[in-house]
Amino acid sequence: MPEKIEVRFGKGLKVLDVIENPVPHVVVDSRKELHGWWPGKRECTAERLLVNPYNGCSIDCSFCYAKALPGYFQNYRERGVVTVCRDFDRVVAKQLDSIDLASCGYLSPVTDPFQPVNHTYHLSEKIIEEFVGRNIPVEFITKEAVSDRVIGLLKRQSHSFGQFSVLTLQETQRRLLMRGGATTDDLFDCMTRMAESGVHTVCRVDPIIPYITDDVRGLEGLIERAVDSGASHIVASVMDIPLSMVSEVYKKFSVFGQGVVFDMKRLFSQRIDNGLHADIGYRKRLFDHLRNSCDSLGVTFALCMEYDLGDGIPVGLNGEFMSSTNCEGIDIPLYVRNGDRFEPAAECDGACLSCENPLCGVEDLALGKIDWQKPGFKLSDYRSWTRERARTAQEPLFS
Ligand code: SF4
Ligand code: SF4
């Protein structure tokens, strides 16, 4: 008899069978919609269509902030059960067919798209196919090895790319930080294969864990190896800890010794919104080193979601440390439908966050400055831009 799990749907409750292999998971119908970055603070320069075919992630990093998220994510945090969205590629396909304007797709903001359960369902490959088949760019971030099929798909779409997260060169240390994930050697091998096939390849040192992976020489060695493996852009961040997970996270890090936990507790002194952040002086010193390393190796550098407080308001640190135009090191415009396929909507760098002249025709996208109150874009926004475009019969601005 399979184990059962109770899952809350709005006000109702459903009982689902837990499938044990390859990892415990349940399969649910989902009508989740593609959407943009979440409301609140944002440093991401370019707009994205975020896609999560899975909720919960069995790579199970000690520092995973997604465990603090509500809904299905709690199934993983409390019971180790991943949630799979049944046939989600078809749901995504229908949504892409309902819009004439599309940003680059992003697999996946809060789970690893190539985690073990994907070996059974292959939703990530299928979703990439839906994007690439329409010539819409798509990107992924992973700590897993990716297949030649994925690389071959990305190669077919000129703005599609991939990012690999590598936290440390020391394999023993990596295994203490996460239950799953590919070996460091395998990740560098994937970077090499992807870069050699001409696809933009990013290495993320994200997050750096204070007192565990923050040795500057070690980080410089990691960046050098990433560059040797074909990465042309580096993204970094220092771990932050959601307030709701502080004791859980410190408990996990106790495998590195109580001294490490003691030092961490002193360092994580800055509260920004709902998270604890490492002391700003510590973070800036580290980022300064990494930026210099990248400069001397001839690759670009950016931070992910790193802030200080200015008059109590979070202020992004990329203004000080980023050397690329866009934080992922690649310039991708909005795409517009041309029959069954999409084409770039404008000859722009895709840095919507600072765009003052929305040549793509979508004024809403050109934020000009960070608007803390603005909600993230939804599929309904893309549909309304589509209607507006049809109403004004805009000629496509193909580049
Ligand atoms: S790979 Fe990402 S989503 Fe998965 S457990 Fe690690 S931090 Fe969380
Ligand atoms: S024209 Fe401006 S708002 Fe439109 S996609 Fe390009 S950068 Fe973004």
Side-chain angles (χ1 to χ4, degrees), residues 47 332-334 345-353 355-367:
E47 196 50 51
I332 308 178
L334 186 75
E347 277 191 54
C348 69
D349 59 17
C352 306
L353 201 60
C355 176
E356 289 175 357
N357 183 17
L359 296 171
C360 64
V362 182
E363 294 204 358
D364 287 354
L365 276 176
L367 302 178

Side-chain angles (χ1 to χ4, degrees), residues 13 44 93 113 172 175 185 188 260 310 321 348 365 372 380 394:
L13 209 59
C44 320
T172 331
R175 288 163 121 200
D185 284 347
F188 283 123
V260 165
F321 293 100
C348 69
L365 276 176
W372 305 104
S380 55
Q394 272 174 278

Side-chain angles (χ1 to χ4, degrees), residues 274-388:
N274 291 323
L276 284 185
H277 294 250
D279 167 75
I280 185 67
Y282 165 92
R283 285 188 284 145
K284 283 192 169 188
R285 278 192 298 279
L286 208 46
F287 299 149
D288 196 47
H289 271 295
L290 300 184
R291 165 70 197 264
N292 288 337
S293 287
C294 288
D295 285 355
S296 61
L297 289 166
V299 292
T300 47
F301 176 73
L303 300 171
C304 183
M305 300 282 283
E306 283 294 344
Y307 299 89
D308 189 10
L309 285 178
D311 292 332
I313 292 177
V315 179
L317 296 179
N318 260 335
E320 192 174 342
F321 293 100
M322 183 165 78
S323 57
S324 49
T325 306
N326 283 287
C327 47
E328 290 162 318
I330 179 170
D331 300 349
I332 308 178
L334 186 75
Y335 269 57
V336 63
R337 181 181 293 283
N338 180 15
D340 288 341
R341 290 169 63 79
F342 285 66
E343 303 286 348
E347 277 191 54
C348 69
D349 59 17
C352 306
L353 201 60
S354 57
C355 176
E356 289 175 357
N357 183 17
L359 296 171
C360 64
V362 182
E363 294 204 358
D364 287 354
L365 276 176
L367 302 178
K369 61 182 170 56
I370 297 172
D371 181 348
W372 305 104
Q373 306 307 322
K374 201 169 176 72
F377 294 119
K378 302 190 173 68
L379 188 63
S380 55
D381 290 303
Y382 284 84
R383 288 182 178 143
S384 122
W385 300 331
T386 297
R387 282 194 299 275
E388 181 60 15

Side-chain angles (χ1 to χ4, degrees), residues 56-61 63-67 109-112 143 178:
C57 178
S58 66
I59 292 179
D60 202 15
C61 302
F63 46 83
C64 178
Y65 62 89
K67 290 179 196 158
V110 281
T111 51
D112 196 299
K143 293 189 183 83
M178 62 192 81

Side-chain angles (χ1 to χ4, degrees), residues 154-216:
L154 297 186
K155 198 177 161 183
R156 282 169 43 197
Q157 207 294 323
S158 58
H159 282 119
S160 293
F161 68 104
Q163 309 193 50
F164 294 91
S165 292
V166 185
L167 304 191
T168 169
L169 287 180
Q170 296 176 41
E171 183 56 18
T172 331
Q173 201 174 50
R174 186 195 71 77
R175 288 163 121 200
L176 286 172
L177 289 169
M178 62 192 81
R179 197 140 60 96
T183 64
T184 304
D185 284 347
D186 282 351
L187 291 175
F188 283 123
D189 177 57
C190 287
M191 279 186 223
T192 305
R193 283 190 291 122
M194 201 162 79
E196 281 178 352
S197 74
V199 175
H200 176 62
T201 303
V202 178
C203 176
R204 299 180 70 97
V205 195
D206 173 30
I208 296 165
I209 321 283
Y211 306 115
I212 298 174
T213 65
D214 64 346
D215 167 64
V216 172

